[in-house]
């Protein structure tokens, strides 16, 4: 009996009346979702910082599953909202702010417990530190993992990963993980208030109107080296803004503490707005490609990776993750470059037909 190949490579027997219609199986996404959750967690927690270092994971493996269960569902839901509702940059930033609030104002609680040079508590909250970390989470915890995934799986770029059931499961996991800490005795009132505010911001972001179709500029994007350098110096400038500037502004202590903290917040917010404006302009150019996205990610993370290579930080075992991640970035860039060359070769062999002028 003859057999007919199906789309997924299997075969279907021919019926006596003729061939059956091939039916493609549903594309599996569970392993892709797990990879997404892994990088959503490790990029901000292990690669860009040592918040959950390799040494911590080795000594307490559940930490890895915890951060994956927290970062992964959050970024999955944000990505689904952006794709399904065709949301724009305003919604993306609001969702990043909401996640930053939940991360540091609810789960980690750093708004109420951490004390760094140049910062001061106004009441029970360190507002300047809260702003600094919120900006970090917008770029590193939300935008970067989603952009990296799009470059890692070009065939999945701009496509939904979750169905309704997957979205419900992701929301439940995220809420359960958050609730474990939100109702803890320490700073409970503040944590619950911040969580409520984050939900309001997320609701506003989702309810904003869909972004209109974007008109790409014919201006050429920067070269890859320039993009990498821009990412590197942006990272250096950010850490300078949150660690160096506050120590300068807080030197005149006393009644000027509030003004100093406000100045720190203004500097960080303006810097974030500048980065968003540049990023929006660059990605709006017709020649912007996944290789440019990878170059920007590599440049932005290279500063932290170089710091982690210093001997005093070797006990964190960070090179065991950062160096393979660098190798992965290089491999992805080479793969994308080969794909670009293959596309150009096909275009040269099969040029597009000329457009005939229509008679008036």
């Amino acid at each position: 009996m003859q057999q007919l190949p199906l789309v997924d490579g299997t075969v279907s027997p021919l019926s006596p009346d003729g061939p059956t219609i091939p039916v493609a199986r549903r594309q599996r996404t569970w392993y892709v979702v797990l990879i997404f959750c892994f990088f959503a967690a490790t990029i901000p927690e292990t690669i860009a910082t040592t918040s959950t270092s390799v040494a911590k994971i080795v000594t307490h493996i559940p930490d890895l599953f915890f951060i994956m269960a927290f970062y992964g569902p959050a970024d999955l839901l944000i990505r689904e909202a952006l794709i399904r509702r065709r949301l724009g940059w305003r919604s993306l930033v609001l969702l990043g702010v909401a996640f930053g609030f939940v991360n540091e104002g609810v789960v980690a609680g750093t708004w109420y417990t951490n004390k760094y040079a140049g910062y001061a508590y106004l009441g029970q909250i360190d507002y300047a530190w809260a702003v600094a970390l919120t900006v970090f989470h917008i770029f590193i915890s939300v935008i970067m993992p989603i952009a990296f995934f799009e470059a890692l799986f070009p065939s999945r770029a701009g496509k939904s990963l979750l169905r309704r059931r997957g979205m419900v499961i992701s929301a439940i996991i995220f809420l359960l993980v958050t609730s474990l800490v939100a109702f803890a005795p320490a700073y409970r009132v503040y944590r619950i208030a911040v969580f409520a505010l984050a939900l309001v911001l997320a609701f506003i972001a989702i309810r904003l109107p869909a972004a209109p179709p974007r008109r790409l500029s014919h201006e050429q994007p920067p070269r890859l080296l320039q993009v990498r350098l821009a990412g590197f110096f942006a990272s250096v400038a950010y850490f300078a803004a949150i660690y160096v500037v506050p120590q300068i502004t807080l030197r005149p202590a006393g009644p000027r503490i509030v003004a100093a903290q406000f100045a720190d917040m203004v500097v960080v917010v303006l810097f974030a707005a500048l980065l968003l404006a540049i990023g929006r302009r660059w990605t709006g150019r017709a020649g912007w490609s996944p290789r440019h996205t990878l170059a920007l990610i590599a440049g932005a993370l290279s500063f932290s990776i170089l710091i982690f290579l210093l001997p005093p930080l070797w006990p964190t075992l960070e090179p065991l993750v950062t160096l393979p991640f660098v190798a992965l970035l290089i491999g992805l860039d080479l793969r994308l470059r080969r794909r670009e060359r293959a596309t150009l070769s096909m275009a040269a062999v099969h040029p597009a037909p000329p457009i005939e002028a229509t008679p008036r």
Side-chain angles (χ1 to χ4, degrees):
M1 182 180 293
Q2 287 183 312
Q3 291 182 322
L4 181 67
L6 294 182
V7 177
D8 60 356
T10 60
V11 293
S12 173
L14 290 175
S15 65
D17 297 330
T20 58
I21 299 176
V23 179
R25 290 183 180 178
R26 182 186 303 174
Q27 194 174 20
R28 296 180 180 179
T29 59
W30 64 267
Y31 71 95
V32 179
V33 170
L34 286 179
I35 294 174
F36 181 93
C37 292
F38 175 78
F39 284 110
T42 55
I43 286 176
E45 286 282 324
T46 309
I47 297 174
T49 69
T50 58
S51 297
T52 307
S53 66
V54 179
K56 291 181 181 178
I57 294 174
V58 170
T59 56
H60 194 246
I61 295 178
D63 285 351
L64 175 61
F65 297 104
F66 178 82
I67 61 176
M68 286 180 63
F70 176 65
Y71 283 88
D75 282 355
L76 280 171
L77 292 172
I78 291 174
R79 183 178 181 274
E80 290 295 318
L82 294 173
I83 293 174
R84 290 170 179 262
R85 297 189 61 83
R86 294 174 296 175
L87 301 177
W89 283 84
R90 292 178 300 171
S91 296
L92 176 59
V93 171
L94 280 178
L95 291 170
V97 171
F99 178 76
F101 281 14
V102 174
N103 193 313
E104 305 295 343
V106 179
V107 176
T110 56
W111 293 8
Y112 329 110
T113 57
N114 285 11
K115 182 65 172 71
Y116 294 99
Y119 290 90
Y121 286 98
L122 303 178
Q124 293 288 328
I125 300 177
D126 189 339
Y127 291 95
W129 185 244
V131 171
L133 291 186
T134 300
V135 170
F136 173 87
H137 286 297
I138 291 174
F139 289 98
I140 307 299
S141 300
V142 175
I143 296 178
M144 185 177 290
I146 294 176
F148 177 74
F149 175 82
E150 303 285 295
L152 182 61
F153 293 99
S155 61
R156 310 270 184 168
K159 297 180 181 179
S160 176
L161 289 178
L162 303 177
R163 296 180 177 85
R164 184 184 299 273
R165 182 176 61 181
M167 295 179 65
V168 172
I169 293 174
S170 297
I172 291 175
I173 293 175
F174 179 74
L175 291 175
L176 285 177
V177 172
T178 304
S179 299
L180 291 175
V181 187
F183 294 97
Y187 306 100
R188 177 181 299 171
V189 175
Y190 293 97
R191 294 178 192 267
I192 295 176
V194 172
F195 184 57
L197 178 58
L199 292 179
V200 171
L201 292 176
F203 178 79
I204 294 174
I206 294 174
R207 299 303 300 175
L208 287 177
R214 195 174 183 187
R215 294 184 178 180
L216 298 179
S217 169
H218 293 292
E219 187 178 358
Q220 290 297 316
R223 295 182 178 180
L224 293 176
L225 177 59
Q226 183 179 350
V227 173
R228 293 188 185 98
L229 291 176
F232 175 82
F233 286 112
S235 182
V236 173
Y238 167 76
F239 285 111
I242 69 171
Y243 287 120
V244 179
V245 172
Q247 297 188 48
I248 297 175
T249 57
L250 196 61
R251 285 179 180 176
R256 309 176 83 176
I257 290 180
V258 175
Q261 298 297 284
F262 180 76
D264 298 339
M265 290 186 281
V266 170
V267 169
V268 174
V269 170
L270 290 179
F271 178 68
L274 176 63
L275 293 183
L276 287 170
I278 296 175
R280 179 173 170 78
R281 186 173 70 249
W282 281 3
T283 58
R285 298 178 181 180
W288 185 269
S289 67
R291 291 191 67 196
H292 289 87
T293 300
L294 281 179
L296 191 58
I297 293 173
L301 293 177
S302 59
F303 176 69
S304 298
I305 292 174
L306 290 174
I307 295 296
F308 297 154
L309 292 177
L310 297 177
L313 292 176
W314 285 357
T316 63
L317 303 180
E318 286 296 297
L320 295 180
V321 167
T322 54
L323 293 181
F325 185 77
V326 171
L328 176 61
L329 290 175
I330 295 173
L332 288 176
D333 181 71
L334 293 176
R335 186 183 71 175
L336 291 173
R337 185 174 64 178
R338 288 194 298 267
R339 182 171 298 181
E340 287 182 357
R341 289 179 177 177
T343 302
L344 293 175
S345 299
M346 290 294 295
V349 174
H350 303 286
I355 302 176
E356 297 182 1
T358 56
R360 295 183 180 180

